[in-house]
Amino acid sequence: MTDDVGGHERCIGGCMLQSPKYALAARESKYKLGSGQLERLLQLLEGRCMVCLSCHAMYVDTTTRATERSPRGMLCRFCKQRVAIYEGAYGEHAPFYSPCRCRAANTPEWCLRITAATAQYLVRTADVESCPTNEQWFACLINDVSANGPDPQRIWGGAPLYSLPRLPVRGGAPIAPDFGAHPPLTRIRCQTECRDHVEHIYIACFDEPTTLRDADTHSSVKHYVGWTRQQPPERRVSQHGAICRQSLVAIIPGTEREEELLKNEGRCPRCDHPLEYR
């Protein structure tokens, strides 16, 4: 694919414009898409993320709470995280307005436009699960973008602020099961691919102090405790790197509050040392 949208100094790995054809073909096979569909959508988007239309597309975005993940569009890392935050994958207190690196942000107008662009994306891809196959959905999406352009409501094209689409107020968190008096570490362990619970806590124990990706600490740690609503939980674990997957001690059903209590008061099921690391 011809790279005609500028440099990659702000890309953080996985830029789809830099992917050779065989890598795009591998993603198409993974998500059961038709041959050439990813390249065609990239061409229509001029290599850009479907939300911010500024950063290069880095990921095939998938539904976050469906029983089976369905590919629904192409996003940069920042907008993919923003959509997941809106859909509750990172808890109720994660900041929605994390800025992209490719567009001036954190102004009142930017906040309104990125919110509207997120709404436009979610409405545009709302029918993904009604299509019988992923290939058919991507064909519909390609036809839509071809006919209406990447930004049909001109959110980034100067549309007046009063006319921007609204993002519905995010619904409350799913109701977590009541475990009564059973502390988290006494509960039955889950498999990494578990989809039976709304929320999971995961614990990793490392042989040596380890620095993880996308964690709530930048320090090297001997233990890490995390919480997720992503399904299955291994998706969130994998975002910390292979070392976290390899060092997992337990995945258990549990709430965000229980995760915090474990960090402050719990002991590792493997080595019996305190889990506190911050």
Side-chain angles (χ1 to χ4, degrees):
M1 175 176 296
T2 301
D3 179 355
D4 58 356
V5 294
H8 299 272
E9 64 274 3
R10 293 187 174 94
C11 293
I12 306 179
C15 178
M16 297 185 73
L17 280 173
Q18 294 179 306
S19 297
K21 286 184 179 292
Y22 71 82
L24 292 178
R27 292 201 198 191
E28 289 170 342
S29 176
K30 175 182 178 180
Y31 293 113
K32 300 179 181 178
L33 302 176
S35 176
Q37 284 189 316
L38 288 180
E39 184 170 12
R40 176 57 179 153
L41 185 56
L42 274 173
Q43 290 171 342
L44 291 171
L45 295 170
E46 297 182 343
R48 307 291 187 182
C49 165
M50 289 183 67
V51 172
C52 68
L53 296 183
S54 179
C55 299
H56 296 169
M58 302 178 196
Y59 296 97
V60 176
D61 177 49
T62 59
T63 51
T64 57
R65 288 189 179 176
T67 302
E68 293 188 10
R69 290 187 293 164
S70 299
R72 58 181 169 184
M74 290 182 176
L75 299 179
C76 68
R77 169 174 294 188
F78 312 102
C79 290
K80 178 175 172 58
Q81 184 179 52
R82 191 178 298 108
V83 169
I85 287 170
Y86 172 75
E87 294 182 328
Y90 291 92
E92 300 307 302
H93 306 294
F96 177 76
Y97 293 112
S98 55
C100 294
R101 294 193 176 190
C102 301
R103 186 183 287 278
N106 288 342
T107 65
E109 180 172 343
W110 177 85
C111 291
L112 289 171
R113 292 194 183 277
I114 199 68
T115 300
T118 303
Q120 176 175 256
Y121 172 75
L122 291 175
V123 169
R124 196 172 205 179
T125 60
D127 293 333
V128 57
E129 293 180 53
S130 65
C131 282
T133 68
N134 295 343
E135 182 176 353
Q136 286 178 297
W137 161 248
F138 251 67
C140 291
L141 182 60
I142 288 169
N143 289 338
D144 178 17
V145 177
S146 179
N148 301 302
D151 187 16
Q153 301 191 60
R154 299 187 63 252
I155 292 167
W156 301 112
L161 295 181
Y162 67 81
S163 70
L164 298 180
R166 305 290 182 179
L167 187 65
V169 175
R170 189 175 71 194
I175 298 175
D178 182 3
F179 296 105
H182 299 288
L185 293 178
T186 67
R187 298 169 194 162
I188 297 175
R189 303 291 196 264
C190 298
Q191 298 296 316
T192 56
E193 66 274 11
C194 176
R195 296 181 183 271
D196 295 333
H197 306 101
V198 173
E199 302 170 288
H200 291 91
I201 298 169
Y202 53 93
I203 302 170
C205 178
F206 307 104
D207 294 331
E208 301 291 338
T210 300
T211 302
L212 300 176
R213 298 198 310 257
D214 195 17
D216 60 4
T217 176
H218 298 295
S219 302
S220 297
V221 295
K222 289 293 294 289
H223 298 95
Y224 190 75
V225 182
W227 167 89
T228 186
R229 285 202 190 110
Q230 294 194 46
Q231 298 286 339
E234 65 179 347
R235 291 178 62 195
R236 179 62 182 137
V237 174
S238 296
Q239 291 170 0
H240 301 307
I243 187 64
C244 194
R245 292 196 308 271
Q246 298 162 3
S247 305
L248 272 179
V249 173
I251 296 179
I252 51 181
T255 66
E256 190 175 13
R257 175 170 173 75
E258 289 174 327
E259 175 224 19
E260 194 64 32
L261 290 174
L262 276 179
K263 288 178 178 177
N264 294 329
E265 304 173 6
R267 303 188 75 86
C268 176
R270 176 183 290 169
C271 67
D272 199 39
H273 288 167
L275 291 171
E276 195 278 328
Y277 58 85
R278 292 181 297 177

